[in-house]
Amino acid sequence: MQNKFNRITWAVAIAAAAFASQANAGGYQINEQSVSGQGYGHAGRSSNVNDATIVFGNPAGMSFLDRAQLTAGGTYLNVNSRIRNAEATRANALTGGLPQSVDGSSEGDMVPGTLIPFAFYAHPVNEQLAFGFGVYAPFGSKTDYEDNFVGRNLGNYTELRVISAQPTVSYRFNDQWSVGAGITYNRVDGELRRQVPQPGMGMADPDQDLDSRVEGDDDGWGYNLGVIFQPVPETTFGLTYRSKVDYTLTGNYRATNPDGSVAINPNTLEPLEDNARLNLVTPETINFSVTQQMSDRLKLMAGASWVRWSRFDEIHVTNDAGDTITRENQDYSNAWAYAVGGEYQLNPQLALRAGVTLDFTPTSDQYRSARIPSDDRRIFSIGAGWTPMDNLTLDVAYSYLTERSTHVDQTRTDHAGTAAETQLNYTADYKNEAHGFGAQLTYRF
């Protein structure tokens, strides 16, 4: 087995993990930065100024707040996945080129329950100028299949976390126009695992597979821009742009034997450990929304978001010297999401909310994998805001996400040095759904 083997194993694993998602927006994007917005399906993300979470939704909106406020909270995501008709095979020259079935289970529910927290502070200095700051998660994913997962040769564990810190400023020119901008410092880290067939072992004993693991991290800078136009007090238009962020993930790869010892390259007799790097770009996004005050109690919202997922066209991994290790086509396409929602002020203390979101996947049928078994989504949300006193509001929300049933038919080749290449295949039908429970507290100074 050549040194190239562990590099390719690391490369494909981390690239797949970096773009896995089950419970969030399309791709691996996370929508959970506002519970008040969650209640109406984030339909008015760029135009509805409700609390300090507007620091994320549209930095221009901070100058529409009447006083300083702090908003903190989180959403707990509970994901359920059903897997049907799961099958996996392996084949190489030692099996005569004939695929042999891989034994294993397909329990589903591979996404652990996850809490996604956030915190924002907005401080109007005067009627024109405002400053703010936020800490939140814009991207992230976690999948954790059972130990005996039938598709474990193609990926059984993925965890990716991106945390952002955003100082922000906005300026309101007059009653109609406001602009805002923020700079984001972003930190990404992840851990990835899959089981790798040992070269020279044939297909007889999958229990002798190597445990391939990698950890990597990096940081990067980005920015966001926003504008709000309010032609009349009852109508508000909002537009927000969030930039791409470039990362170079670096980390350590290690393959271990079933007894926990580091595996040895049979050709070089060196431990199967290596360094590698992957250039990762989180894509830019554009959100447009409109908020219309229909009456003293009712306001309606509609919005659309566009994400430039076409940046993820291929995986290009290099070694420390800059030499290409592998290129793989991923064929992501730009994706849209649409939302409509409303809020009804039942009385001075209680506001009721509801919304519907259509979120279209950027993945293609040809390249959908065990790490990314997702499809188009519909999200139904309800929520409420309770203000027992003028300076305090508690917001709660619930969302139900259901995905279109989808099919995975994934094939890959593991290179094994002097041994024949091993062909791996995994097929299954997936049906995913998720429940989101959110709560946040806003205190006005």
Side-chain angles (χ1 to χ4, degrees):
M1 185 167 50
Q2 299 173 345
N3 207 30
K4 181 180 180 183
F5 167 71
N6 52 327
R7 291 196 182 113
I8 289 179
T9 300
W10 185 94
V12 176
I14 195 168
F19 296 93
S21 179
Q22 291 298 316
N24 310 310
Y28 59 101
Q29 190 178 24
I30 292 177
N31 259 338
E32 287 74 23
Q33 297 88 19
S34 171
V35 173
S36 55
Q38 179 187 346
Y40 45 77
H42 302 290
R45 164 156 278 171
S46 295
S47 57
N48 192 44
V49 183
N50 217 11
D51 47 50
T53 61
I54 198 66
V55 170
F56 176 87
N58 187 341
M62 292 190 304
S63 55
F64 282 81
L65 296 172
D66 59 355
R67 51 181 161 160
Q69 47 196 275
L70 174 68
T71 301
T75 298
Y76 179 81
L77 297 175
N78 180 29
V79 184
N80 300 311
S81 298
R82 297 189 299 275
I83 304 176
R84 299 288 185 269
N85 307 314
E87 296 179 351
T89 61
R90 323 185 332 170
N92 65 14
L94 298 175
T95 68
L98 299 176
Q100 293 188 357
S101 296
V102 176
D103 293 332
S105 59
S106 55
E107 296 176 0
D109 294 337
M110 63 281 186
V111 183
T114 303
L115 176 66
I116 303 174
F118 57 82
F120 298 95
Y121 176 73
H123 183 85
V125 177
N126 52 44
E127 291 183 357
Q128 287 78 39
L129 185 65
F131 293 96
F133 186 81
V135 179
Y136 55 89
F139 299 98
S141 176
K142 186 173 183 179
T143 55
D144 186 6
Y145 288 92
E146 65 272 20
D147 291 341
N148 198 41
F149 171 51
V150 67
R152 58 192 178 275
N153 292 147
L154 293 118
N156 57 0
Y157 183 90
T158 300
E159 184 171 9
L160 177 78
R161 296 183 300 268
V162 179
I163 302 298
S164 299
Q166 177 188 316
T168 312
V169 62
S170 70
Y171 186 81
R172 186 172 181 177
F173 294 99
N174 50 44
D175 291 342
Q176 295 182 320
W177 290 96
S178 178
V179 297
I183 297 174
T184 61
Y185 169 75
N186 310 275
R187 182 71 182 175
V188 58
D189 65 89
E191 180 181 356
L192 315 146
R193 307 172 194 168
R194 76 178 187 94
Q195 303 301 114
V196 180
Q198 286 207 45
M201 293 294 294
M203 299 294 105
D205 192 0
D207 291 338
Q208 295 301 311
D209 287 351
L210 304 181
D211 184 15
S212 169
R213 300 191 182 200
V214 64
E215 293 180 356
D217 55 55
D218 192 26
D219 51 33
W221 294 88
Y223 64 92
N224 56 14
L225 305 171
V227 60
I228 283 183
F229 174 52
Q230 196 174 70
V232 294
E234 296 80 16
T235 305
T236 304
F237 297 95
L239 179 67
T240 307
Y241 171 84
R242 304 186 66 83
S243 74
K244 67 182 179 72
V245 179
D246 294 294
Y247 302 97
T248 300
L249 278 76
T250 58
N252 298 313
Y253 163 80
R254 172 177 291 189
T256 57
N257 294 305
D259 63 4
S261 62
V262 177
I264 301 298
N265 187 320
N267 295 325
T268 66
L269 300 182
E270 296 178 351
L272 273 175
E273 297 177 302
D274 200 6
N275 298 321
R277 62 183 61 219
L278 169 69
N279 292 327
L280 167 67
V281 180
T282 54
E284 57 265 60
T285 65
I286 298 174
N287 179 270
F288 171 79
S289 69
V290 57
T291 299
Q292 179 65 44
Q293 192 75 41
M294 306 299 293
S295 67
D296 290 342
R297 294 191 174 189
L298 177 66
K299 60 181 173 182
L300 301 179
M301 291 152 278
S305 295
W306 177 84
V307 184
R308 192 178 181 182
W309 286 115
S310 60
R311 288 194 175 277
F312 186 44
D313 183 58
E314 65 175 3
I315 300 169
H316 182 202
V317 183
T318 63
N319 61 18
D320 289 342
D323 300 324
T324 296
I325 296 173
T326 184
R327 287 180 184 267
E328 295 192 11
N329 185 22
Q330 294 299 306
D331 195 36
Y332 265 43
S333 57
N334 300 331
W336 287 87
Y338 305 95
V340 294
E343 178 179 280
Y344 184 77
Q345 194 71 42
L346 187 64
N347 55 51
Q349 289 77 39
L350 185 62
L352 304 178
R353 306 174 182 122
V356 178
T357 304
L358 300 179
D359 190 4
F360 297 97
T361 181
T363 60
S364 64
D365 293 341
Q366 183 177 357
Y367 295 104
R368 186 174 291 108
S369 72
R371 294 191 186 271
I372 320 173
S374 59
D375 214 306
D376 297 337
R377 299 160 180 170
R378 293 171 293 169
I379 307 169
F380 306 92
S381 302
I382 57 174
W386 179 51
T387 306
M389 57 189 70
D390 186 54
N391 62 347
L392 187 68
T393 297
L394 173 65
D395 294 287
V396 294
Y398 166 75
S399 297
Y400 172 69
L401 179 153
T402 179
E403 280 189 2
R404 186 174 64 176
S405 298
T406 195
H407 180 69
V408 170
D409 187 353
Q410 184 181 1
T411 301
R412 63 163 291 161
T413 301
D414 270 348
H415 299 270
T418 57
E421 296 178 341
T422 300
Q423 301 292 331
L424 305 171
N425 179 257
Y426 170 70
T427 62
D429 298 315
Y430 281 77
K431 175 63 177 176
N432 304 312
E433 64 178 14
H435 305 269
F437 305 90
Q440 75 177 33
L441 194 66
T442 298
Y443 183 80
R444 302 172 186 85
F445 298 91

